[in-house]
Amino acid sequence: MDPVKKKVLIKTYGCQMNERDTEALKVLLVEAGFMIAEKEGDEDVVLLNTCSVREAAELKALGKAGRLLKKKKTHANYKVGVMGCMAAHKKEVLFKKLPGLDFIAPPKALHLIPELIRQSYVGNANQMAVPEPASFNFSCYEHTYPKPKAVAWIPIQQGCNMACSYCIVPRTRGEQQNRPFNSILKEVQEAVQWGTKEIILLGQIVNTYHDPDSKKNFVDLLEAVQNVEAVKRIRFISPHPAFFSSQLMQAFKHLSKLCPALHLPVQSGSDRILKEMRRAHTKAKIWEIVETLRTIDARASISTDIIVGYPGESEEDFQETVALFRDIKFDMAYIFKYSPRPLTWVAPQEQSLMGIPEKVKEDRNQCLLNILTQCSTEYNRQFMGECQEILIEGKAHRGEHQLFGKNIYNKKVIFAGPESWINTFKSVQINKITASTLEGKVVEDCGALWDGINNSEQG
Ligand code: SAH
Ligand code: SF4
Ligand code: F3S
């Protein structure tokens, strides 16, 4: 088989981890001589990079795989593979549900996929499952970036050692594995050579990071990234509230490039439910983090993840979440309806005895969304008339000559400008706000480029 003639399409579901894996795989495939199909239609091989975190995500990918498999009737030698989180825990089920499926590869087998595709052509075999390697090969992420970009998502760990009762991720991505410090810095250096200005450190519990080869911890890593001159902004996602040290909180004060925008997944505002969820943090801890950050920067953006309708969540429990949500005034939130997952700590009988009806989940979801709209509109209103430094990320889906970028508070800003501005900083005067975006006009200069909260005396 001559891989040069084979075009591979990857469809990605789920979180940024999957997005980053897809990007890394594209580089590996090109290095192995494959071509990349950017849109559906002319591919010879399709890979679905799947997510298992909620049932709906799995059903979506299964439906898509079923439709793609039909192409086999008209396209000789068309290959379909499933990778990502579903491939880690659904091996047999996938082959049964998707007759004709050629291969599956769990997240840890990312680096083996080019060879797997080659094998599927050589032997013309299907139903191939790569045995899960013991560990993740982080060097996959060190390969050259395919194109310049303003923001780079850099994985610093794989897997998770927590045991949140509702969550399947430890079963799909395995035990927490920290990426060597030097490997992370190598990728940061690589990214800035491509013009990247903002680094987002990525992992399931980033604040438990420690270098496997030394005593360096997450704050040491933030400091090392801060010391890379070409990096202008740093963010991270997701930290776990239980592992916020005062050293990490102070990093928001001392590290000038660390943006005052924190994603803090609280999941619930009821200590009883948090305990049931085995979340290892309380409401008090959340408040401690929020208040500390707000004394450092009163405007700090604080976003979250919430699950509504966890088994046994009473109206009283939910009202505690409502109160927390309203009092903290999160300016952005992902609100999820609890989805029962296999292999998690919530036993099936607990699910059926204590399960919350769909209608109640829906109402609770809507209730939080309404509060979110109010809080995010109010949060965004403070930028009205102000000039903000924006790192321009790309073209906005808003018609011609519209660009988008973010301010340090992670707020999306839309304005007119030429494509040549992408990946540069511009000063934008905000003249319109909604719950989700700011709009404005590029102006000459709004003072010195943001160089950390220390210089604006917000702390
Ligand atoms: N490691 C991150 C989040 C990983 S999963 C953390 O601990 O915050 C992303 C989000 O999906 C979670 O924060 C949670 O809100 C949601 N989630 C996970 N399992 C879920 C389930 N079974 N049903 C609904 N939402 C779920
Ligand atoms: Fe899942 Fe909890 Fe780990 Fe996040 S910390 S990935 S929610 S088990
Ligand atoms: Fe991400 Fe979904 Fe896997 S959220 S880690 S792709 S289960």
Side-chain angles (χ1 to χ4, degrees), residues 159-170 204-205 240 267 279:
C160 179
N161 282 354
M162 298 302 287
C164 304
S165 64
Y166 49 83
C167 182
I168 196 172
V169 172
Q204 298 298 350
I205 24 172
H240 193 301
Q267 313 300 356
R279 256 314 263 190

Side-chain angles (χ1 to χ4, degrees), residues 11-14 48-52 54-68 82 86 98 341:
K11 297 209 71 83
T12 312
Y13 302 83
L48 294 123
N49 194 358
T50 56
C51 172
S52 295
R54 283 166 292 278
E55 194 186 15
E58 291 198 339
L59 294 176
K60 202 165 156 193
L62 279 173
K64 185 73 190 171
R67 288 192 294 282
L68 288 163
V82 171
M86 265 177 100
L98 299 170
R341 302 283 57 220

Side-chain angles (χ1 to χ4, degrees), residues 355-409:
I356 303 295
E358 266 319 298
K359 169 83 175 82
V360 177
K361 285 186 196 170
E362 186 49 52
D363 290 348
R364 291 179 181 175
N365 183 46
Q366 199 50 53
C367 167
L368 293 184
L369 283 175
N370 292 344
I371 299 172
L372 179 63
T373 306
Q374 287 167 19
C375 292
S376 49
T377 311
E378 199 180 309
Y379 182 84
N380 286 348
R381 194 168 291 133
Q382 67 184 321
F383 297 114
M384 194 65 189
E386 272 194 20
C387 187
Q388 296 281 300
E389 287 300 338
I390 306 302
L391 173 57
I392 307 176
E393 295 184 27
K395 286 201 281 180
H397 306 290
R398 278 270 181 110
E400 291 237 333
H401 312 303
Q402 295 290 308
L403 303 174
F404 82 94
K406 303 238 176 77
N407 66 2
I408 52 164
Y409 298 103

Side-chain angles (χ1 to χ4, degrees), residues 53-54 166-167 169 204 238 265 267 279 305-307 336-339 341:
V53 80
R54 283 166 292 278
Y166 49 83
C167 182
V169 172
Q204 298 298 350
S238 287
Q267 313 300 356
R279 256 314 263 190
D305 288 356
I306 300 269
I307 297 176
F336 304 108
K337 290 180 269 180
Y338 171 75
S339 166
R341 302 283 57 220

Side-chain angles (χ1 to χ4, degrees), residues 10 36 72 88 159 249 263 279 325 353:
I10 312 175
I36 304 298
K72 287 193 156 211
M249 290 314 306
H263 187 69
R279 256 314 263 190
F325 208 71
L353 288 175

